[in-house]
Amino acid sequence: MTSAPMRILSGLQPSGRLHIGNYFGMMESALKLQHEGDAYYFIADYHSLTSVHDGRLLRDHVRNLAIDFLACGLDPSRCVFFRQSDIPEHTELAWILSTVTPMGLLERCHSYKDKVARGIHASHGLFAYPVLMAADILIYDSDIVPVGRDQKQHVEVTRDIAIKMNEAFGEGLLKLPQPRIREETAVVPGLDGQKMSKSYDNTIQLFEELPALKKKIMSIKTDSTPVEEPKPVEDSSILALYKLVAAPADYQAMVDDFQRGGIGYGEFKKRLLQATTDYFAPFREKRAEITANPKFVDQVLAEGAEKARAVARKTLARVRDAVGLG
Ligand code: TYM
């Protein structure tokens, strides 16, 4: 008997333009995994409603995210790529899951507390965000969820909710997923050394135009070590970012130059700028091609929605049956 292929699932919020934290934290693994199993990737537009309250802007972000992901190498012949809101079954499952989800589980979520502390409106949707995320994952019977470290707790909450459902309605009703986190890129730092995040305004976007990219990289926070002295390598955002985009030998050369002294931060930032531009240049070309063919994007999302919905309907029917609906 052959076993079913591993089911991989992940999503990205269209709440702004993609940044290199998204790319190295999640997309790079997701792109590799599309060759290793049955991959489902989606644009989490229902989730973005917790922070974007402008319909035109949201549609714009959705489109750009779709183009960006395709430009980075998402292959629609190898995975199912769709818009979350094309599959309304997610929201119905979220409601069912919410009825077994303990309040305390959601009250402990760092992401909610962090967002409220940064001034995002503490709506019910923001509080219930992890329940919708659990529905996204569980509705596809996902085995593996590639994410950055900031989403680990949400996948753990998903497991806890699945356990509650299985206890209440029958073992094996929902499959327990595992987060897949790549340690080296689990938290990509931003321009100020904190985690790179849209809401910290410290991002380098994937498809930033050169003048803006230059301005941002030149503004990376550094300490005041004089040019001639050795520079600390620990906690350097320049080095951490350079490691992601440079060849290993070039990265080692920068570490050596940091430790030797005699070179200022401005020079290191120039090397980082060059390596970042070079790294993303092929994606930029692909992006231009895809942008010139808007029908292609519509078609990919329409086909993805059809395939995803067929799976989501089946799981939802199983759950409705188990809980006594319909
Ligand atoms: P979002 O849109 O905030 O982020 C998308 C992915 O990028 C990762 N990430 C990072 N990784 C490393 N370093 C960083 N600085 C960094 N910033 C972002 C995130 O960990 C994430 O993997 N809740 C999700 C969207 C979602 C989802 C899902 C994901 C909705 N439903 C179901 C997986 C499964 C989110 O906000 O991602």
Side-chain angles (χ1 to χ4, degrees):
M1 205 179 89
T2 51
S3 56
M6 167 173 77
R7 175 73 52 91
I8 306 136
L9 172 129
S10 198
L12 293 140
Q13 281 196 84
S15 50
R17 294 301 301 271
L18 284 178
H19 56 73
I20 64 175
N22 298 134
Y23 181 76
F24 289 105
M26 175 265 178
M27 293 169 72
E28 203 186 29
S29 310
L31 291 167
K32 277 202 190 112
L33 285 164
Q34 67 183 341
H35 302 283
E36 292 174 29
D38 196 9
Y40 283 64
Y41 299 134
F42 68 96
I43 301 172
D45 51 354
Y46 281 139
H47 276 108
S48 279
L49 283 177
T50 58
S51 61
V52 182
H53 290 163
D54 175 335
R56 252 189 31 206
L57 187 65
L58 184 62
R59 277 203 190 89
D60 237 43
H61 286 333
V62 168
R63 184 143 206 97
N64 275 313
L65 200 159
I67 297 173
D68 287 355
F69 212 161
L70 289 163
C72 290
L74 182 136
D75 179 352
S77 72
R78 290 204 163 267
C79 60
V80 179
F81 184 40
F82 61 100
R83 190 172 24 213
Q84 184 187 30
S85 62
D86 282 338
I87 323 292
E89 285 77 7
H90 289 220
T91 58
E92 182 175 346
L93 182 61
W95 171 256
I96 298 172
L97 300 181
S98 79
T99 63
V100 301
T101 304
M103 289 290 285
L105 192 62
L106 301 180
E107 277 160 0
R108 284 196 291 279
C109 286
H110 310 303
S111 171
Y112 172 74
K113 289 191 271 194
D114 191 43
K115 283 178 178 166
V116 173
R118 276 185 275 123
I120 296 182
H121 172 53
S123 64
H124 172 259
L126 193 67
F127 185 67
Y129 183 112
V131 184
L132 179 59
M133 188 160 156
D136 299 335
I137 297 171
L138 299 173
I139 207 161
Y140 296 102
D141 289 326
S142 311
D143 296 298
I144 283 183
V145 186
V147 283
R149 168 99 32 85
D150 60 352
Q151 297 299 316
K152 182 171 183 253
Q153 190 184 31
H154 286 161
V155 182
E156 287 163 358
V157 166
T158 300
R159 289 175 61 88
D160 288 341
I161 295 175
I163 290 170
K164 290 258 172 233
M165 285 292 289
N166 291 347
E167 278 169 3
F169 301 108
E171 275 317 310
L173 176 63
L174 294 171
K175 193 182 240 183
L176 269 54
Q178 293 283 354
R180 170 76 63 92
I181 296 168
R182 210 177 129 216
E183 269 317 306
E184 312 86 79
T185 54
V187 186
V188 175
L191 301 171
D192 56 0
Q194 295 188 80
K195 182 192 84 162
M196 186 176 288
S197 165
K198 276 162 254 179
S199 35
Y200 294 157
D201 199 18
N202 66 355
T203 65
I204 297 174
Q205 291 170 11
L206 226 51
F207 294 101
E208 197 100 58
E209 291 303 326
L210 188 59
L213 180 65
K214 186 170 176 190
K215 199 167 159 208
K216 283 189 170 178
I217 288 185
M218 289 318 207
S219 77
I220 290 176
K221 255 198 195 160
T222 49
D223 62 22
S224 51
T225 313
V227 173
E228 59 282 2
E229 282 185 26
K231 319 276 178 302
V233 293
E234 291 298 313
D235 299 326
S236 161
S237 301
I238 300 178
L239 273 174
L241 293 169
Y242 194 61
K243 191 172 186 184
L244 300 172
V245 291
D250 293 336
Y251 169 71
Q252 192 50 51
M254 193 187 274
V255 172
D256 295 344
D257 288 341
F258 258 62
Q259 288 171 328
R260 197 175 303 119
I263 298 178
Y265 284 120
E267 164 60 24
F268 293 130
K269 289 178 181 176
K270 279 190 198 149
R271 287 191 212 170
L272 173 61
L273 174 64
Q274 188 60 51
T276 308
T277 317
D278 292 348
Y279 192 94
F280 290 109
F283 300 169
R284 204 176 274 277
E285 267 176 41
K286 184 112 186 274
R287 190 176 204 285
E289 275 169 38
I290 297 168
T291 310
N293 187 2
K295 285 218 174 92
F296 169 70
V297 180
D298 293 336
Q299 193 188 333
V300 166
L301 292 177
E303 283 172 11
E306 203 178 311
K307 288 186 195 153
R309 200 154 187 206
V311 178
R313 278 199 177 123
K314 267 198 195 157
T315 314
L316 186 63
R318 184 173 87 220
V319 173
R320 286 177 66 107
D321 185 46
V323 303
L325 291 174

